[in-house]
Amino acid sequence: MGEDDDYTKDGTVDHQGNPANKKITGTWRACPFILGNECCERLAYYGMSSNLVRYFKHRLNQSSATATKNNQDWSGTCYITPLIGAFLADAYLGRYWTIAIFSIIYVIGMTFLTLTASVPGLKPTCHGENCHATDAQSAAFFVALYLIALGTGGIKPCVSSYGADQFDDADEAEKKHKSSFFNWFYFSINIGALIASSVLVYIQDNVGWGWGFGIPAVTMAIAVISFFSGTRLYRNQKPGGSPLTRLCQVVVASIRKYRVEVPADKSLLYENADAESNITGSRKLDHTKDFSFFDKAAVETQSDQIKGSIDKWRLCTVTQVEELKAIIRLLPIWATGIIFSTVYSQMSNLFVLQGERMDTHVGNSSFKIPPASLSIFDTLSVIVWVPIYDRIIVPVARKFTGHKNGLTQLQRMGIGLFISILSMVSAAVLELIRLRIVRRHNYYELDEMPLTIFWQVPQYFLIGCAEVFTFIGQLEFFYEQAPDAMRSLCSALALTTVALGNYLSSLLVTIVTSISTRNGSLGWIPDNLNGGHVHYFFWLLTVLSALNLLVFVLVAKWYTYKRPVGTLR
């Protein structure tokens, strides 16, 4: 054996840029630090965001519709900024330094947010339950919020991909563990969310918002420490340069050669002669038949060279062309995730406002459960279903399907989309029953009607079950189907469905409010939901989700999986 036999041949390096030694880096030995970082970061995020709609409403004195809209706009931004972090990670910084830098920005934002809720002059002035925030105080709060949105943009698209990077696709033993990593990655997210939706939400409602935001800030600092603690054990993929430039080169080269005929023998298409791809950190990809127009970019002509070197805007390798094809194939699957995310966003918005109007007492005691804490049942559902899926469903399904993961990623996502429909049906039926009781007993002005908030548990539990199938399947699918040098970008692309889901929900609320409040009507979503029709909104999402599932099934049948050269499948 030579001295380099312990090193990977897939471009992985340690944090100093040297080849990563497989015996001492990567695999599960590196993952606890990554999972610990994610658990603490998610605790910080959900500890702040789960109850945020109530801060808007009761501290910044905003209406229900405005509070819901602002909350969804901010949540949406948190899932758009990952495009920034992902681009920097794939093109220049690598995932390690992107996570490190943006985590520090995150901590600064959390610290400032804590100050806006605890320092006199920065926090809103309250007299009992009546609060008033000046324009400057509101502005400071929003600056802190969007600084956090920027910070999370460098973490969200990179952490899951970075964890998966610790397992080598060319090693059969390691590859088998990658699918389990995504399950346990999402499990760690929900351990953090469990603490956030129970302990931290209670602290915010009963102790104070200063402590309620301060604890997540400290937790985020712990997340940073956890991440840096594993530095010597990580395997890092080298950044491959701007992925957007490579995609544009294929498009431009194809258009320039629109009259060129693609040879019947695809082996004649241009590819790097070496065993490795000419894209740093990327394996070669086999040619696929669809989107054949872009194959023109890989057809060699006499004008493709400038002074002896290849003009990359006229001639691209097959692997580069297949990168673009892979992204195009992902887009229809990506689009079907938007409606699911719209449904998911209701947990921190209309579910919370619905719960506010129900009996929040626990039994006959005086203890009241914060409405936002009901999301704990979503978290518990995920914590229950992840090991069930990983240890029971996968082995059983494998016997029937013969697939190494039991279900394909697309099958898994489709099941989750179906379960999300049931969640909306559950929410709509509960609201319909609640409003009938309100009308029958004239409870319109009651802050809390005598119907226990725990009737919301089924809708939360169903969303948690849907998450295990759809969101985890989506994480794994976008990582596996992404070109090697574009994995952060594709993870960010998956996350943008959450952003667009929030924006779509915000848009639907705006449209519904505008239409339903004509002629002086209270509308579907008034400040006092006892006089509204929130169940109409839930039925609307049910119909949209059913149509979305139909589209997903059609798209999934059409999908062509990418084929890395010489990779185990």
Side-chain angles (χ1 to χ4, degrees), residues 59-76:
R59 288 294 182 269
L60 299 186
N61 199 26
Q62 296 177 349
S63 68
S64 293
T66 301
T68 298
K69 185 177 184 302
N70 282 334
N71 189 36
Q72 290 175 327
D73 287 345
W74 175 77
S75 297

Side-chain angles (χ1 to χ4, degrees), residues 1 8 42 157 163 238 288 340 382 404-405 417 525 546 567:
M1 293 177 64
T8 59
R42 290 291 85 186
K238 293 179 181 179
T288 55
F340 179 83
V382 172
K404 64 180 184 299
N405 294 332
L417 293 180
I525 314 174
T567 298

